[in-house]
Amino acid sequence: MPTPPPETAGDPVSDDVVLGALLATAHQYARRALNEALAPLNIEARHYGVLAALDRDGPASQRRLSALLDLDKSAMVRIMDELERRGLATRNRDARDRRSYAIELTPEGRRKAREGGTAAATVGDRLFGWLEPADRERLVAMLTGIARQATGPGGDRNSGP
Amino acid sequence: MPTPPPETAGDPVSDDVVLGALLATAHQYARRALNEALAPLNIEARHYGVLAALDRDGPASQRRLSALLDLDKSAMVRIMDELERRGLATRNRDARDRRSYAIELTPEGRRKAREGGTAAATVGDRLFGWLEPADRERLVAMLTGIARQATGPGGDRNSGP
DNA sequence: TATTGTTATACTCTATAACTATA
DNA sequence: TATAGTTATAGAGTATAACAATA
């Protein structure tokens, strides 16, 4: 039951809380919008992310895909199970390192990736299209910085080199 | 295993995807950072949100708290169960409408709310403190706009008046 | 009839540990 | 020993439907 985010202002503590809550709200609503746009294709955001990465960067191991998409390796297993069962991607043993797979898109998978791209572009245009290019750049920089600060000193326990 | 968000640029479609992924990353890392800061108090972000709302706005029904924090009412039940079990808030029947509760903080709950506020302020300062005030305002405006677009036309199915 | 709160249920997401097969 | 992938499990978050008590 989406409700407009609560408005507050002035309070030095709750300003941060509001910003954090806004981050959550924007993310959740955006993900929901993407999922709704992808629903006719019978895939969800998690599938699209993998399909798009494969379409753009070519075959990759599950490990590489996990790192690329910032997903846990066990989450990747389940997503690949789903993609394989739907005939969108295949797991082929890498000849040079038989521990890894070379994950590849099937023709149908490539088609889904492209169709998903169109759907994602439509949603992206609605959500982000109204932003001036300069604002958009600022937004990317700010979100990147926030993520960095959150994983940085005092934040994350495995931020080793 | 947090990995810096993937960098990409130029691709008209993947720009949006990157922005969406950044939204997810920033949100998740920020929530994790808040949870870690609240861990010594034995509460999590969901508890703190309710405690802070009660501390600031005074007693409220579960319904009102759900709306205020954009939570499902059944989620609110579980959070209140936890707060009550920990002696941080109490459910008192509202005399004027015996269907509702008047949720109130206990003294211990109020203390947690304040201590949580301090912890949240520390995290907020680390995550958001480096932003210029003007950038911060822009960020709030952009996130609000994105959330509005996401729930707006073509997006959400219950966006009635 | 509508609303507040409760319960049951289910699916997604994230996270961890233990295991295998390869290296 | 270390890495790629698998499996099992658990908890958080989100969502829905059915229900009781009250309005």
Side-chain angles (χ1 to χ4, degrees), chain A residues 28 32 62-63 74 77 91 99-101:
Chain A
Q28 287 168 349
R32 195 178 313 169
Q62 288 186 191
R63 182 92 170 83
S74 68
V77 170
R91 290 191 243 229
R99 293 172 306 180
S100 334
Y101 288 129

Side-chain angles (χ1 to χ4, degrees), chain A residues 113-130:
Chain A
R114 304 287 163 84
E115 290 171 4
T118 303
T122 302
V123 173
D125 193 56
R126 179 158 61 88
L127 268 58
F128 310 126
W130 58 280

Side-chain angles (χ1 to χ4, degrees), chain B residues 68-87:
Chain B
L68 208 60
L69 300 167
D70 198 11
L71 290 172
D72 190 82
K73 59 181 178 173
S74 68
M76 195 58 226
V77 170
R78 269 176 296 117
I79 296 173
M80 266 308 302
D81 286 348
E82 294 169 344
L83 293 178
E84 210 172 27
R85 181 158 32 78
R86 295 174 200 197

Side-chain angles (χ1 to χ4, degrees), chain A residues 65-80:
Chain A
L65 286 170
S66 306
L68 209 61
L69 300 168
D70 198 11
L71 290 173
D72 189 82
K73 60 181 178 173
S74 68
M76 196 58 226
V77 170
R78 268 174 297 117
I79 296 174
M80 265 309 301

Side-chain angles (χ1 to χ4, degrees), chain A residues 4-5 16-17 23 30 46 51 89 107 118 147 152:
Chain A
D16 284 345
V17 174
L23 221 40
R46 63 182 181 280
L51 294 178
T118 303

Side-chain angles (χ1 to χ4, degrees), chain A residues 103-114:
Chain A
I103 309 291
E104 267 179 297
L105 287 178
T106 64
E108 169 71 3
R110 191 167 303 278
R111 196 155 48 239
K112 288 276 189 192
R114 304 287 163 84

Side-chain angles (χ1 to χ4, degrees), chain B residues 51-154:
Chain B
L51 295 178
L54 288 170
D55 188 29
R56 196 174 52 188
D57 299 347
S61 68
Q62 289 187 192
R63 183 93 170 85
R64 177 159 156 64
L65 285 170
S66 306
L68 208 60
L69 300 167
D70 198 11
L71 290 172
D72 190 82
K73 59 181 178 173
S74 68
M76 195 58 226
V77 170
R78 269 176 296 117
I79 296 173
M80 266 308 302
D81 286 348
E82 294 169 344
L83 293 178
E84 210 172 27
R85 181 158 32 78
R86 295 174 200 197
L88 303 178
T90 56
R91 291 191 243 229
N92 313 298
R93 282 293 172 193
D94 183 331
R96 291 173 305 181
D97 182 346
R98 296 184 46 75
R99 291 173 305 181
S100 336
Y101 288 127
I103 308 289
E104 266 179 296
L105 287 179
T106 63
E108 169 72 4
R110 192 168 302 276
R111 198 155 46 240
K112 287 276 190 195
R114 304 287 163 83
E115 290 172 4
T118 304
T122 302
V123 173
D125 193 57
R126 176 157 62 88
L127 267 58
F128 310 126
W130 58 280
L131 293 170
E132 309 266 353
D135 275 342
R136 196 192 169 97
E137 274 176 41
R138 263 193 286 263
L139 178 57
V140 168
M142 288 191 275
L143 292 176
T144 304
I146 290 167
R148 182 171 300 127
Q149 291 301 315
T151 55

